[in-house]
Amino acid sequence: MLNRYARGFFTRLFTPLARLLLRWGVTPDAVTIAGTVGVAGAALVFYPIGQLFWGTVVITLFVFSDVVDGIMARMKGSGGPWGSFLDSTLDRIADGALFAAVAIWFFTGGHNPAIAIAALACLVLGMIVSYARAKAESLGFTANVGVAERAERLVSVLVVTGLTGLGLPQGFLLAVLVVLALASLVTVYQRVRAVRRQSLEAPSPS
C-alpha cells in the first residue's frame, strides 16, 4: 500500500539527485550497495548503544537509496533480473541488521526481553515472507499478496523505534512489533494459500 501511494511522490523528489549521480558516473548498483551498508552499519552501531532516535535518522537517510537506485536504473535503462536480484538480496541484509540491532539493545541495555523477542520474531517471519514470494516465482507462480509488505514493516518499526528514543513508552514499540510479527505470519499464510491454489489450477503435465 505504501509502495503504491508513495512511489510517485518520492520519484519526483529524488529524480534530480538520481540524474546528478548518473552524471557523476555513479551506477545504480553502487547506490544499492552503499545504501545497504549504510542501513546495516547505522543500525548495528547506533541501536545497540541505545541511540534509537539518531540511529533511526541515519538509517532513514540511507533507506531512501532504495528509491534512488530504482530511478537511476530506469533512467539508464539498466534495470532487469540482475538489479532485481541484487536489490532483493541486499534488502534482506538491511532488514536483518535492523531487527537484530533492536533485539541486541533490548536484550542488553534496554532491559526489555519482550521487545527483543518480538523483534527477532519480526526478523524471522519477514525473511519467510520474502522467501515465500521468491520461491513461488522461481516455480512459475505469483505470491505478491499479503498484508505485511516490506515498506509497511520498515516504516512502522523505524518510526516507532525513533519515537521510543525520544521518550515514547516502550509498550508502543512492543505493540507495533507484535502486530508486525502477526501480520507477517498472516502474509506467509496468504502466500502459501495463493501458491497452493495456483498449483491446483495448473494443468497437469501430459
Side-chain angles (χ1 to χ4, degrees), residues 198-206:
Q198 292 171 62
S199 69
L200 293 174
E201 295 172 353
S204 301
S206 55

Side-chain angles (χ1 to χ4, degrees), residues 125 129 145-148 179-193:
L125 290 168
V129 166
V145 297
V147 296
V179 169
L180 287 178
L182 291 175
S184 296
L185 186 61
V186 171
T187 299
V188 171
Y189 168 74
Q190 290 175 309
R191 292 187 173 184
V192 170
R193 184 179 64 179

Side-chain angles (χ1 to χ4, degrees), residues 10 32 44 65 72 88 97 99 142 144-145 153 157-158 161 195 202:
F10 285 113
T32 302
L44 293 172
S65 66
M72 292 171 66
S88 295
F99 285 103
T142 58
N144 57 344
V145 297
R153 298 197 306 268
V157 72
L158 284 174
T161 300
V195 173

Side-chain angles (χ1 to χ4, degrees), residues 109-129:
H111 304 296
N112 196 326
I115 291 180
I117 292 170
L120 291 179
C122 288
L123 191 161
V124 172
L125 290 168
M127 296 298 175
I128 297 174
V129 166

